[in-house]
Amino acid sequence: MKTRPREKHTFRLAAEVASQLADYARARRRPQTAVVEAALASFFSPDGSDRLEAAVSRRLDRLNRDLERLEWHVELTNETLALFVRFWLTTTTPLPDTVQAAAQAMGKDRWERFVQSLSRRMEAGPHLAKEVAGDGA
């Protein structure tokens, strides 16, 4: 293996930067010289900004796809709720005052069971949105 000729340079670093350099080199088990060489090569690289821009662009594209998927799920949830409320309002007749208290007690019990069931389902999955969308079973 050929070794490249080396030139000695002496320069001063701020104490905080020197400490960060030492910590980074120790964590990576690399000589501090190798870390400084890599950093300077990256700094002077003409395509360094292009690589950074490409990485940021890929990240933004992924975030955009995630947001679009989230938007679709929110729309699905809103439409599902609206359809249920419309159906419930058009098919459920109002209760007479004489049975209102008993119906409210039964409704409270049913609500508590619903919340428990929802909690179990969210922990275990699969989620209903995936079932409706055909993404899971």
Side-chain angles (χ1 to χ4, degrees):
M1 182 171 137
K2 256 187 179 175
T3 59
R4 296 177 297 189
R6 301 262 190 210
E7 289 185 23
K8 182 176 180 174
H9 291 272
T10 303
F11 49 90
R12 298 184 189 278
L13 296 174
E16 183 179 321
V17 173
S19 176
Q20 289 174 334
L21 173 61
D23 291 345
Y24 185 87
R26 190 178 317 103
R28 300 292 188 272
R29 295 184 176 170
R30 304 285 300 168
Q32 290 183 21
T33 304
V35 174
V36 171
E37 283 180 356
L40 287 172
S42 176
F43 181 78
F44 292 129
S45 172
D47 65 339
S49 62
D50 292 340
R51 284 195 313 254
L52 179 60
E53 184 178 340
V56 169
S57 180
R58 283 191 305 274
R59 173 77 174 166
L60 288 174
D61 288 344
R62 193 177 91 217
L63 287 171
N64 189 48
R65 287 190 305 274
D66 290 347
L67 283 174
E68 287 173 353
R69 189 171 31 256
L70 180 61
E71 179 183 19
W72 186 87
H73 283 284
V74 168
E75 286 179 20
L76 174 67
T77 302
N78 289 344
E79 287 299 316
T80 303
L81 180 61
L83 185 63
F84 171 77
V85 169
R86 177 191 286 169
F87 175 79
W88 186 80
L89 290 173
T90 57
T91 59
T92 305
T93 56
L95 295 174
D97 292 338
T98 56
V99 294
Q100 196 79 0
Q104 287 176 344
M106 185 184 300
K108 182 179 177 187
D109 180 56
R110 291 175 69 192
W111 172 256
E112 289 171 1
R113 285 185 290 158
F114 167 75
V115 170
Q116 290 171 355
S117 175
L118 178 62
S119 176
R120 282 191 308 272
R121 187 167 178 102
M122 290 301 291
E123 289 173 4
H127 300 292
L128 183 61
K130 288 182 180 177
E131 288 180 21
V132 171
D135 293 344

